[in-house]
């Protein structure tokens, strides 16, 4: 292109550049404007005041108060079973009958032998008395008197032996009627009517006393100092079956005499009345020992408490709907609530869900409106 033509075009190009410059500057300023971060959706709750029990928690195992495996004390045939498996039986209730006829015959024989020797002993005693008088009068010799007296003494000893035999026969006859030694619940039957049983052989049935009963559990040795002075009915305990809303009330009644060195725990046993038979031997239950009650404690839902590099904290929603990080000191937790010793006051609104989307000072949007 020739120099005269370039000189003719250049002023027009410069004018076009000057006209477009403000437009370019305007576009640049619009793209550099900072974006506003949307409010983070969260769920919140209010910190409240509440009386909170201070508890020790453990997993316990239910044990019967007493267990008896009934065995026959005589050999014979079972003629009657007077209960059903799983029945509740009272102390002294008749459960089994062993054929009593052989033992009735033995008793009758022992009583007859006793009557016979008793008559002989009475006669010998009277003869000895008569001969004692005759000997004193010199009518009979001392040897004759001594023989009669020895015979009387021998028959008296025989009578005592036969009395014992009668008592034993009565006892054997009484053993034919097997009764419950305690109030409890029967288990499965090991034999039925018509079977022959032997003396002190297989257990016929097992009876568990389940009202009252025990719950046995273990606590760390660090808690020993807290509970050892309060054993014996002064330390309340709750036991709850998993998934049940009903808690049975009891007291600690036994503390083992040593710590298990293998586990660093000590065995504890609590007694429960179990009047409603909520607890059952062999069950595993959640145990809570109430040590004290913290009055008017500040509590928040446990899920509101977060853990960071600096320790525990919560997000508090301020009146301007922004989130503030509050370091907190926590106390015991119970039923999904945690005691806040320091950092939150009653009435403060804390975030319980959605913390992952929050930043300090960031806006929040409460799901479902403000907490009650």
């Amino acid at each position: 292109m020739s120099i005269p033509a370039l000189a003719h075009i250049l002023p027009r190009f410069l004018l076009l550049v000057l006209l477009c410059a403000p437009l370019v500057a305007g576009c640049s300023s619009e793209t550099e404007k900072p974006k506003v971060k949307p409010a983070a959706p969260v769920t919140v709750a209010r910190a409240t005041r509440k009386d909170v029990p201070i508890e020790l928690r453990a997993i316990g195992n239910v044990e019967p108060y007493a267990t008896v495996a009934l065995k026959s004390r005589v050999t014979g045939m079972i003629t009657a079973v007077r209960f059903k498996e799983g029945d509740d039986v009272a102390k002294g209730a008749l459960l089994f009958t062993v054929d009593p006829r052989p033992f009735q015959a033995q008793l009758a024989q022992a009583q007859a032998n006793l009557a016979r020797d008793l008559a002989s002993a009475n006669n010998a005693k009277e003869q000895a008395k008569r001969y004692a008088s005759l000997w004193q009068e010199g009518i009979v010799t001392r040897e004759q008197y001594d023989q009669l007296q020895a015979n009387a003494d021998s028959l008296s000893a025989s009578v005592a032996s036969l009395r014992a035999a009668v008592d034993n026969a009565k006892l054997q006859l009484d053993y034919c009627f097997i009764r419950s030694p305690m109030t409890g619940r029967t288990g499965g039957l090991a034999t039925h009517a018509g079977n022959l049983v032997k003396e002190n052989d297989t257990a016929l049935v097992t009876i568990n006393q389940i009202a009252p009963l025990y719950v046995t559990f273990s606590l760390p040795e660090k808690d020993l100092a807290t509970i050892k002075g309060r054993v014996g009915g002064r330390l309340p305990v709750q036991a709850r079956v998993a998934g049940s809303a009903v808690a049975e009330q009891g007291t600690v009644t036994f503390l083992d005499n040593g710590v298990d060195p293998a586990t660093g725990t000590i065995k504890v046993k609590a007694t429960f009345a179990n009047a409603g038979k909520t607890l059952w031997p062999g069950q595993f239950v959640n145990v809570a020992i109430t040590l004290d009650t913290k009055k008017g404690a500040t509590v928040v839902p446990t899920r509101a408490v977060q853990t960071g590099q600096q320790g525990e904290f919560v997000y508090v929603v301020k009146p301007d709907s922004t989130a503030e990080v509050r370091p907190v000191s926590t106390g015991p937790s119970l039923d999904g609530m945690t005691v806040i010793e320091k950092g939150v006051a009653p009435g403060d609104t804390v975030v319980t869900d959605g913390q992952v989307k929050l930043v300090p000072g960031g806006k929040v949007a409460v799901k479902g409106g403000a907490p009650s």
Side-chain angles (χ1 to χ4, degrees):
M1 181 178 293
S2 63
I3 293 176
L6 182 61
H8 178 72
I9 296 173
L10 185 59
R12 294 180 180 181
F13 177 74
L14 292 174
L15 179 62
L16 180 63
V17 170
L18 292 173
L19 291 174
C20 290
L23 297 177
V24 174
C27 293
S28 176
S29 63
E30 288 180 2
T31 56
E32 292 178 359
K33 187 181 293 183
K35 295 181 180 180
V36 178
K37 189 174 182 179
V42 295
T43 302
V44 298
R46 288 196 188 281
T48 58
R49 286 193 184 278
K50 186 178 180 181
D51 293 343
V52 179
I54 300 173
E55 298 179 338
L56 299 177
R57 291 180 174 265
I59 301 297
N61 183 245
V62 182
E63 298 178 356
Y65 194 81
T67 299
V68 174
L70 281 183
K71 297 182 178 181
S72 177
R73 300 186 67 176
V74 294
T75 298
M77 185 181 71
I78 298 289
T79 58
V81 178
R82 303 184 182 275
F83 69 98
K84 295 179 181 178
E85 293 177 312
D87 277 355
D88 291 318
V89 294
K91 182 178 181 179
L94 180 61
L95 303 181
F96 298 93
T97 300
V98 178
D99 188 1
R101 291 173 297 177
F103 302 95
Q104 290 170 340
Q106 291 176 9
L107 175 60
Q109 184 178 5
Q111 289 174 330
N113 291 338
L114 174 61
R116 180 197 62 203
D117 281 23
L118 185 58
S120 298
N122 289 334
N123 181 56
K125 186 177 180 180
E126 292 300 323
Q127 283 186 338
K129 283 183 180 180
R130 288 195 298 268
Y131 268 68
S133 300
L134 294 175
W135 171 66
Q136 290 175 354
E137 294 174 3
I139 299 175
V140 297
T141 64
R142 175 63 182 266
E143 183 180 1
Q144 290 176 312
Y145 166 70
D146 287 344
Q147 288 179 347
L148 288 173
Q149 185 62 48
N151 185 50
D153 291 342
S154 175
L155 288 172
S156 294
S158 177
V159 166
S161 176
L162 290 173
R163 288 188 191 278
V166 168
D167 290 342
N168 183 62
K170 288 180 178 179
L171 189 60
Q172 296 300 309
L173 179 60
D174 188 59
Y175 287 159
C176 292
F177 305 95
I178 303 174
R179 302 177 184 276
S180 175
M182 64 183 184
T183 298
R185 189 176 182 89
T186 60
L189 270 171
T191 188
H192 297 81
N195 288 324
L196 181 68
V197 295
K198 295 181 179 180
E199 178 183 355
N200 198 30
D201 195 18
T202 306
L204 307 179
V205 71
T206 298
I207 302 174
N208 285 337
Q209 185 175 357
I210 60 177
L213 50 61
Y214 295 121
V215 172
T216 301
F217 54 97
S218 295
L219 290 176
E221 59 181 316
K222 66 181 178 64
D223 296 323
L224 178 59
T226 306
I227 67 172
K228 68 180 180 180
R230 302 174 63 182
V231 175
R234 292 176 292 172
L235 197 57
V237 184
Q238 286 187 339
R240 180 181 284 109
V241 179
S244 173
V246 180
E248 194 72 17
Q249 306 295 324
T251 55
V252 173
T253 52
F254 169 76
L255 184 66
D256 206 354
N257 59 0
V259 174
D260 185 348
T263 61
T265 60
I266 187 165
K267 182 180 179 181
V268 185
K269 188 178 289 187
T271 302
F272 293 80
N274 199 35
K277 297 179 181 176
T278 306
L279 305 179
W280 213 252
Q283 278 183 318
F284 287 95
V285 294
N286 297 315
V287 178
I289 300 178
T290 303
L291 300 176
D292 201 356
T293 300
K294 190 175 183 64
K295 301 289 186 180
T298 301
V299 297
V300 299
T302 301
R303 61 183 182 274
V305 181
Q306 305 292 300
T307 302
Q309 294 181 348
Q310 304 301 320
E312 294 178 314
F313 67 92
V314 298
Y315 280 106
V316 176
V317 179
K318 298 169 65 176
D320 60 357
S321 296
T322 59
E324 177 189 359
V325 176
R326 294 265 190 95
V328 294
S329 297
T330 60
S333 297
L334 180 68
D335 297 333
M337 303 296 286
T338 296
V339 174
I340 303 298
E341 304 284 0
K342 183 180 179 182
V344 173
D348 284 346
T349 301
V350 296
V351 178
T352 59
D353 187 42
Q355 293 97 326
V356 69
K357 299 178 181 179
L358 290 180
V359 293
K363 285 287 187 178
V364 300
V366 178
K367 297 179 183 178
S372 56

